[in-house]
Amino acid sequence: MRRNFNLACLFFHLLAITAFWLLPSPKLWAQPGLDTIKLSQIKLSEKITEKTGLFIDTANQVEEEHLHSLPALRPIPVSLTRKLDPKYVSKDCFLQFTVENDTDSAITTYFLPGFYFNTINLFKFNPVKERFELVSGTTSNRDVHSNVVKKLELKAGETATYITELEFIKTTTNTLNPTLSRDFYLNALLEDLQNERKLNSIITYLICGLLLMMIFYSLAAFYANQNLDFLYYTGYASLLGIMFFLKAYLYHRPTLANFFFESYFDFILQCSGTLFYFMFLRKFTNATRDFSILNKVLLICQVLTVIAMILFTYFNFFSANFQFQNMVENDTKYLWSASTVFFIVYSIIKRSPTLRYLAIGHSFLFLGGLLSLYLINSTQRFRPDLTSLINDSLFWYEMGIVFELIFFLIALSIKNKTDITASVRERERLILEKEKTAMETKMEILAAKQDERNRISADMHDELGSGVTAIRLMSELAKAKLKENTVPEIEKISNSANELITKMNTIIWTMKSSNDTVDNLIAYTRSYALEFLDNTDIKCDFEYPETIPTIELSGEKRRNIFLCIKESLNNIVKHSGATHVTISFHIRQDMEISIHDNGVGLNKDTIRDFSNGLSNMKKRMEDINGSFSIRNYKGTVVTLTVPLA
């Protein structure tokens, strides 16, 4: 049933076409509803929309010889004065009007059908031959391109009917606004048309200035930080800035460059800029690492945008069907809008501070793009009495870009703050890790040293100690056997063995890590001093705190302190003539050791006898960052100061 219906429709369609060509048609110059335009009433210029008939050849069947047989013309709809429906862009458009020179002299006028056209062919009705003939040589004046206006020359009292065949360029910015202009006013009329969006152009130039500032900032940031996201943003801002500038600068300019820009290059610039923006978003948000789903969506949008550019180029240069080309452009912009919505929703879900402000900016960009798409694809306007800004699709898109730029800067400052904080934390972590590693290495070395010290002290005690003790015992046995006939050398061997055992015990005590404390130093010093002075007439007193804190003292410090105390006791026994010595320990932030005897004190004449010992004591204390001093006070006072920290 449906198939029969389709066949019937095809049959009636063919029948209608046959009737169109075979049946006689009325003369177009006599069609009702088209008022004659009187040139005497045109002072400067006049719109003739209401006096012009329109026919659009949607079937692509009209040839030059059929101009007198066109179907009935219709008035030009108001919507076509705003924008041309995409389905009509690739079709030939015919305008018919009748002009009467009701003056007594020849008049030259110019016909401006609207914008933008690849070709404008003007035909004039020849009443003798009863057909329309192409008017040859009807070019524009030397300052205006022939695809913008056509020249009409009428003699005094002449009435002429014209049909203009128009071929539009491939853009939705085409309009039909047929206008007649006197020859002297043509340039001024074209200038007025180019400046009718003067406020819009000023705003566009201001936005281009903002984008230029962002370009300089991004280049400086890239130079300073070598971050590719700033280079991508430079590409985005540059391409959009070029597009906005050309939109304002080339508006209604009758040049082939403008035709190329309006039909093809503006969309390519927008696509290229958007590609850079997708790349910027992926890099700026670290989407590859932090937001894998967002990264995949943006990557898909990049691929689809490249495909759209290829298809748009093909349909523009290799196809006459503008509807497909326009569909590619619109679908690509809908894709961008959908990706913007996804980004906003994704940012809300993730609750990232950086994404949050980018999402706010994208919300404005989405609203501006939506209003721009509405005004591009619709013949409706918000209100005709409002300023042209409100009904300008580019203005809303630019406003979306401006707010997106503002919130991008906020997001950038937050990201920089976050990056600085993360960088400081990472630096502190690396420093702590380095210090920890150094401390662990130091502890390992110290532990190895302690182990080695303990091993050496154990070996000295077990091996050398037993050997020296055996020498001392054998020398004592030899002395006992010889009794009164003791050999002096045996006595020396015995004394040397005793001294060697004492020195070796001191070394073992110094090297053993378990003795590395202040209380152990005090105990060992007290034991040694009492034993050393036991066979002399010198009385020894010890002063130290009742409670000695557990403070670690390295073996090197213990050894140098003890040797200084030992040297002081030797000097007291040999040179002081003292009967009493007091050894005092005072523990605060440092440890102060005082050795005070009641002897004769220092004598400049005899100090040379033990000056080497004093020099050695001073050097030993300096080696452990301590200090040494000696003075006379009721005898001699030797003071040793050692830092405990």
Side-chain angles (χ1 to χ4, degrees):
M1 184 71 179
R2 182 177 179 85
R3 181 179 180 183
N4 293 334
F5 175 76
N6 291 335
L7 291 173
C9 289
L10 179 62
F11 173 75
F12 283 113
H13 183 68
L14 293 174
L15 184 62
I17 293 175
T18 304
F20 171 77
W21 296 114
L22 296 181
L23 294 178
S25 300
K27 302 288 192 294
L28 286 181
W29 67 89
Q31 285 193 26
L34 298 179
D35 295 335
T36 300
I37 303 166
K38 298 185 181 298
L39 294 184
S40 61
Q41 298 176 357
I42 302 176
K43 303 304 181 183
L44 298 174
S45 67
E46 181 180 345
K47 290 186 180 296
I48 59 172
T49 305
E50 296 179 354
K51 299 177 182 180
T52 303
L54 167 68
F55 173 71
I56 298 179
D57 185 15
T58 56
N60 295 325
Q61 295 176 336
V62 177
E63 301 292 341
E64 181 179 334
E65 59 270 20
H66 302 141
L67 291 178
H68 65 284
S69 305
L70 290 177
L73 303 176
R74 62 188 178 107
I76 299 176
V78 177
S79 61
L80 295 186
T81 64
R82 298 169 180 165
K83 68 178 293 294
L84 195 68
D85 193 305
K87 65 183 179 182
Y88 297 145
V89 170
S90 56
K91 308 299 180 183
D92 288 337
C93 174
F94 297 90
L95 300 178
Q96 178 193 335
F97 57 93
T98 301
V99 182
E100 178 186 355
N101 182 5
D102 55 341
T103 66
D104 55 0
S105 61
I107 294 179
T108 299
T109 60
Y110 284 90
F111 175 61
L112 173 68
F115 290 93
Y116 297 97
F117 309 102
N118 281 322
T119 58
I120 301 177
N121 293 323
L122 182 67
F123 298 89
K124 184 177 181 181
F125 183 71
N126 187 335
V128 177
K129 298 181 180 179
E130 294 190 353
R131 69 173 186 175
F132 283 90
E133 296 178 342
L134 179 66
V135 181
S136 60
T138 55
T139 58
S140 62
N141 69 2
R142 58 187 176 86
D143 298 323
V144 184
H145 198 274
S146 61
N147 290 349
V148 179
V149 298
K150 286 296 181 180
K151 182 167 64 174
L152 309 180
E153 296 178 325
L154 282 84
K155 299 176 183 178
E158 180 183 3
T159 299
T161 299
Y162 293 91
I163 288 181
T164 307
E165 180 185 13
L166 306 172
E167 180 186 341
F168 297 98
I169 68 171
K170 293 181 176 182
T171 177
T172 56
T173 58
N174 292 319
T175 58
L176 283 175
N177 286 290
T179 303
L180 287 180
S181 171
R182 300 297 295 269
D183 54 350
F184 60 85
Y185 186 69
L186 177 61
N187 290 332
L189 172 63
L190 292 173
E191 186 175 348
D192 288 343
L193 291 174
Q194 292 165 10
N195 294 327
E196 66 181 1
R197 294 177 65 254
K198 190 171 184 179
L199 179 60
N200 307 46
S201 298
I202 291 174
I203 292 176
T204 300
Y205 290 142
L206 287 174
I207 292 172
C208 289
L210 289 176
L211 290 174
L212 185 61
M213 291 177 61
M214 285 305 303
I215 291 170
F216 290 146
Y217 170 79
S218 299
L219 287 175
F222 172 73
Y223 178 78
N225 304 318
Q226 297 298 309
N227 289 340
L228 281 177
D229 44 356
F230 289 107
L231 197 60
Y232 295 150
Y233 199 89
T234 299
Y236 164 68
S238 300
L239 292 169
L240 279 192
I242 292 172
M243 185 189 75
F244 290 152
F245 176 79
L246 293 179
K247 276 284 187 183
Y249 181 75
L250 295 177
Y251 179 74
H252 277 181
R253 290 190 179 272
T255 62
L256 293 177
N258 189 24
F259 294 170
F260 175 75
F261 172 75
E262 287 289 349
S263 63
Y264 175 73
F265 196 52
D266 63 338
F267 180 68
I268 297 300
L269 283 174
Q270 191 175 10
C271 284
S272 302
T274 306
L275 272 177
F276 276 109
Y277 190 69
F278 286 142
M279 296 164 67
F280 157 76
L281 278 181
R282 292 175 58 205
K283 185 70 175 177
F284 184 77
T285 60
N286 291 321
T288 305
R289 183 191 66 192
D290 300 334
F291 309 107
S292 59
I293 296 177
L294 177 63
N295 182 62
K296 290 178 182 178
V297 171
L298 294 177
L299 186 58
I300 291 172
C301 289
Q302 285 181 235
V303 173
L304 293 177
T305 301
V306 172
I307 294 174
M309 293 172 68
I310 296 172
L311 291 175
F312 188 84
T313 301
Y314 171 78
F315 286 123
N316 184 78
F317 294 107
F318 304 104
S319 174
N321 194 327
F322 176 74
Q323 282 185 278
F324 288 129
Q325 179 178 337
N326 186 63
M327 181 180 66
V328 169
E329 180 176 353
N330 287 334
D331 288 348
T332 304
K333 292 177 179 178
Y334 289 137
L335 168 69
W336 297 341
S337 299
S339 67
T340 303
V341 173
F342 171 81
F343 184 86
I344 295 170
V345 174
Y346 188 82
S347 301
I348 294 173
I349 295 173
K350 287 298 181 180
R351 297 182 179 179
S352 167
T354 303
L355 291 183
R356 182 188 306 125
Y357 286 99
L358 286 177
I360 296 174
H362 277 71
S363 299
F364 284 100
L365 182 61
F366 172 72
L367 292 175
L370 206 61
L371 288 172
S372 177
L373 272 176
Y374 169 75
L375 292 172
I376 288 175
N377 295 316
S378 173
T379 58
Q380 302 298 320
R381 293 296 180 262
F382 294 121
R383 277 177 56 186
D385 58 326
L386 295 175
T387 175
S388 61
L389 272 179
I390 304 302
N391 291 310
D392 182 15
S393 61
L394 184 62
F395 169 76
W396 291 108
Y397 184 60
E398 290 171 341
M399 289 301 100
I401 293 291
V402 167
F403 282 100
E404 183 271 333
L405 177 60
I406 292 172
F407 285 95
F408 158 68
L409 292 175
I410 297 175
L412 179 61
S413 64
I414 292 175
K415 184 175 184 293
N416 287 339
K417 182 179 179 181
T418 303
D419 289 347
I420 291 172
T421 303
S423 176
V424 170
R425 289 178 178 174
E426 179 65 15
R427 192 181 302 115
E428 290 178 349
R429 186 189 68 80
L430 291 175
I431 291 173
L432 290 175
E433 186 175 336
K434 185 176 181 181
E435 291 178 349
K436 180 181 177 182
T437 303
M439 183 61 69
E440 290 175 350
T441 303
K442 186 175 180 181
M443 294 299 294
E444 289 175 358
I445 294 173
L446 184 59
K449 285 183 177 180
Q450 298 288 11
D451 292 341
E452 187 65 13
R453 286 170 56 194
N454 293 336
R455 185 189 65 79
I456 294 173
S457 64
D459 289 347
M460 289 180 66
H461 182 272
D462 295 340
E463 302 295 336
L464 295 178
S466 60
V468 174
T469 301
I471 292 173
R472 188 185 68 175
L473 290 175
M474 284 187 289
S475 65
E476 292 295 330
L477 288 174
K479 285 168 57 179
K481 288 181 179 181
L482 293 175
K483 295 182 181 180
E484 295 179 357
N485 299 321
T486 303
V487 179
E489 284 77 9
I490 295 177
E491 183 70 25
K492 291 180 180 179
I493 291 172
S494 178
N495 292 335
S496 296
N498 285 330
E499 290 179 3
L500 186 58
I501 289 174
T502 301
K503 291 179 180 180
M504 189 172 62
N505 288 336
T506 301
I507 294 173
I508 293 172
W509 170 79
T510 302
M511 295 188 66
K512 198 169 182 180
S513 60
S514 60
N515 296 326
D516 288 349
T517 56
V518 171
D519 58 339
N520 196 285
L521 170 67
I522 295 174
Y524 187 80
T525 302
R526 182 175 181 277
S527 174
Y528 173 81
L530 293 175
E531 183 179 351
F532 179 75
L533 299 173
D534 186 45
N535 296 324
T536 67
D537 295 330
I538 301 174
K539 181 182 178 182
C540 181
D541 289 333
F542 255 81
E543 295 179 358
Y544 51 87
E546 293 183 3
T547 303
I548 303 174
T550 302
I551 300 175
E552 185 176 345
L553 200 64
S554 67
E556 182 184 5
K557 285 185 177 181
R558 286 190 295 110
R559 178 174 178 273
N560 284 303
I561 293 170
F562 175 76
L563 291 178
C564 287
I565 295 173
K566 182 179 178 181
E567 181 67 22
S568 297
L569 293 176
N570 284 333
N571 289 334
I572 290 171
V573 171
K574 291 179 181 179
H575 306 289
S576 70
T579 59
H580 186 268
V581 62
T582 302
I583 303 176
S584 304
F585 287 84
H586 302 281
I587 300 174
R588 293 180 292 272
Q589 291 182 348
D590 52 15
M591 180 171 63
E592 184 179 285
I593 305 169
S594 174
I595 302 107
H596 185 193
D597 67 77
N598 62 351
V600 297
L602 291 173
N603 189 332
K604 294 182 179 180
D605 296 332
T606 61
I607 195 172
R608 295 178 182 176
D609 295 338
F610 53 96
S611 61
N612 287 336
L614 297 180
S615 299
N616 290 337
M617 292 168 66
K618 183 178 180 180
K619 185 176 183 306
R620 289 183 186 280
M621 295 308 296
E622 289 176 351
D623 289 343
I624 57 175
N625 296 322
S627 63
F628 163 81
S629 66
I630 184 170
R631 60 191 176 88
N632 283 331
Y633 179 73
K634 297 179 181 180
T636 305
V637 180
V638 174
T639 304
L640 309 174
T641 305
V642 182
L644 296 177

